[in-house]
């Protein structure tokens, strides 16, 4: 199985620029046929090599990222649930490898699926161990499966990534938009930054901005590529226009509320 790394930019709305990249697997058969990441790991499972294949992917991502010379950006690395076990508390080994690649561990964000580990105590120990070693931790796909806020309070990750389904549901439903905003606010109370992924359109980006998310990721800003290419000047303009649109919409809503309040006062006076 041949593997390659693609990188998708992660955007900060506050800083109006790229602040990190998620490493994504691209795999091919020896004959050159493209294989999805899911199929690649199914192949590894059939050969009882899931953990070894996962490590190979991580090495590939780190080596490829090091070659890009992104000295001030985070690298988001997905961890398989099989990698989270008592025998994998090996921070020194990972730190030495990072040192050889010239990547500081404070720039590594370990992405973990919230319900990927059945033992909550083991997951908490794993997260604490790598946080204390200087790594960042992100909980991925929050909002699906058995997601709950209690677990986030227990794990205290630095970043929580909301599943794209939450954004899809909010597209044409004002109540779900309000729930998205409340969800972001609640997660912020845990001390985490909130990242909304799956931002594919301007409408998606506007909803995410209105929800007060910290970070965004999706095709609207940039597609994954081997270099994680993104036009930073165009990106800054795009985010600026999003902020301007949000401000205009907020002013319109305020004026509507004032008119409603004035109309209500008028009716009350007439009734009196």
């Amino acid at each position: 199985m041949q593997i390659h790394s693609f990188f998708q930019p992660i955007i900060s709305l506050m800083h109006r620029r790229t602040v990190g990249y998620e490493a994504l697997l691209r795999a091919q058969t020896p004959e050159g046929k493209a294989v999805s990441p899911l199929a690649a790991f199914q192949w590894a499972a059939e050969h009882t090599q899931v953990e070894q294949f996962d490590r190979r992917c991580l090495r590939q991502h780190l080596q490829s990222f090091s070659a890009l010379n992104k000295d001030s950006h985070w690298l988001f690395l997905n961890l398989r649930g099989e990698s989270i076990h008592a025998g994998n508390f090996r921070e020194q080994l990972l730190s030495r490898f990072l040192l050889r690649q010239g990547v500081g561990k404070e720039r590594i964000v370990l992405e973990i699926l919230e319900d990927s580990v059945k033992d909550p105590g083991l997951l908490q120990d794993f997260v604490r161990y790598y946080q204390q070693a200087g790594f960042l931790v992100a909980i991925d796909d929050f909002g699906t499966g058995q997601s709950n806020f209690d677990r986030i309070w227990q794990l205290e990750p630095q970043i929580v990534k909301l599943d794209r389904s939450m954004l899809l549901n909010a597209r044409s439903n004002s109540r779900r938009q309000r729930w998205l905003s409340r969800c972001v606010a609640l997660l912020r109370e845990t001390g985490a930054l909130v990242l909304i992924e799956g931002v594919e359109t301007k409408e998606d980006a506007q909803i995410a901005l209105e929800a007060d998310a910290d970070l965004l990721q999706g095709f609207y800003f940039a597609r994954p590529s081997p270099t994680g290419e993104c036009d930073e000047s165009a990106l800054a303009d795009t985010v600026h226009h999003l902020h301007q649109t949000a401000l205009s919409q907020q002013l319109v809503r305020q004026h509507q509320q004032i008119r409603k309040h004035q109309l209500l006062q008028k009716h009350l006076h007439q009734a009196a």
Side-chain angles (χ1 to χ4, degrees):
M1 186 77 69
Q2 301 173 6
I3 61 173
H4 308 280
S5 299
F6 274 44
F7 300 96
Q8 186 170 34
I10 291 171
I11 312 303
S12 167
L13 285 172
M14 176 181 291
H15 299 95
R16 305 185 183 189
R17 64 177 178 86
T18 301
V19 293
Y21 298 87
E22 181 178 3
L24 301 168
L25 174 65
R26 295 293 183 267
Q28 293 178 320
T29 65
E31 297 74 30
K33 181 182 178 182
V35 177
S36 71
L38 180 59
F41 274 99
Q42 285 176 342
W43 171 87
E46 291 169 2
H47 293 78
T48 62
Q49 295 180 358
V50 172
E51 194 170 342
Q52 295 90 325
F53 186 66
D54 192 33
R55 289 178 189 167
R56 183 183 162 199
C57 292
L58 292 178
R59 284 197 299 270
Q60 174 66 36
H61 293 329
L62 286 166
Q63 289 169 349
S64 298
F65 184 71
S66 176
L68 299 181
N69 296 316
K70 303 290 187 182
D71 295 335
S72 60
H73 295 78
W74 290 327
L75 173 62
F76 287 67
L77 295 171
N78 291 281
L79 290 186
R80 299 277 302 182
E82 295 88 342
S83 300
I84 301 173
H85 56 78
N88 201 15
F89 286 46
R90 301 182 299 173
E91 172 272 326
Q92 292 182 351
L93 182 65
L94 181 54
S95 294
R96 285 198 297 270
F97 181 75
L98 288 171
L99 186 62
R100 289 199 299 271
Q101 299 300 322
V103 180
K105 56 188 177 183
E106 71 281 354
R107 292 167 54 204
I108 300 299
V109 183
L110 303 176
E111 281 194 37
I112 301 170
L113 287 172
E114 184 194 2
D115 57 356
S116 62
V117 181
K118 303 306 178 187
D119 182 350
L122 173 62
L123 179 59
Q124 189 167 2
D125 290 343
F126 187 90
V127 168
R128 288 284 181 275
Y129 176 81
Y130 279 96
Q131 284 178 328
Q132 289 171 5
F135 294 85
L136 302 176
V137 172
I139 296 300
D140 196 11
D141 288 351
F142 185 83
T144 62
Q146 302 299 316
S147 292
N148 66 72
F149 288 96
D150 286 343
R151 193 179 290 126
I152 299 298
W153 277 104
Q154 291 167 1
L155 296 176
E156 295 184 322
Q158 284 89 354
I159 300 170
V160 177
K161 296 183 74 173
L162 299 187
D163 184 74
R164 68 185 302 269
S165 63
M166 297 188 70
L167 185 57
L168 288 173
N169 291 332
R171 278 180 179 173
S172 56
N173 189 314
S174 58
R175 285 185 300 176
R176 288 183 180 271
Q177 287 180 19
R178 290 193 293 272
W179 160 240
L180 180 62
S181 297
R182 287 196 290 270
C183 181
V184 170
L186 286 169
L187 289 170
R188 281 267 196 78
E189 288 294 321
T190 70
L193 296 175
V194 180
L195 188 159
I196 295 182
E197 53 186 353
V199 179
E200 298 182 352
T201 65
K202 183 178 180 180
E203 180 192 3
D204 289 345
Q206 207 66 57
I207 291 171
L209 178 62
E210 292 281 347
D212 204 22
D214 302 287
L215 307 169
L216 303 185
Q217 179 183 357
F219 291 169
Y220 179 67
F221 298 104
R223 289 180 174 270
S225 70
T227 60
E229 233 175 275
C230 185
D231 186 333
E232 292 294 332
S233 177
L235 173 63
D237 288 341
T238 297
V239 178
H240 174 72
H241 289 309
L242 288 172
H243 280 285
Q244 290 297 108
T245 301
L247 180 60
S248 297
Q249 291 176 347
Q250 184 179 11
L251 290 173
V252 169
R253 287 195 295 270
Q254 286 177 348
H255 289 151
Q256 289 174 341
Q257 286 297 110
I258 290 172
R259 285 197 295 271
K260 286 180 181 177
H261 184 68
Q262 290 173 339
L263 184 61
L264 179 59
Q265 280 187 322
K266 179 182 176 181
H267 288 321
L268 286 172
H269 282 301
Q270 289 175 344

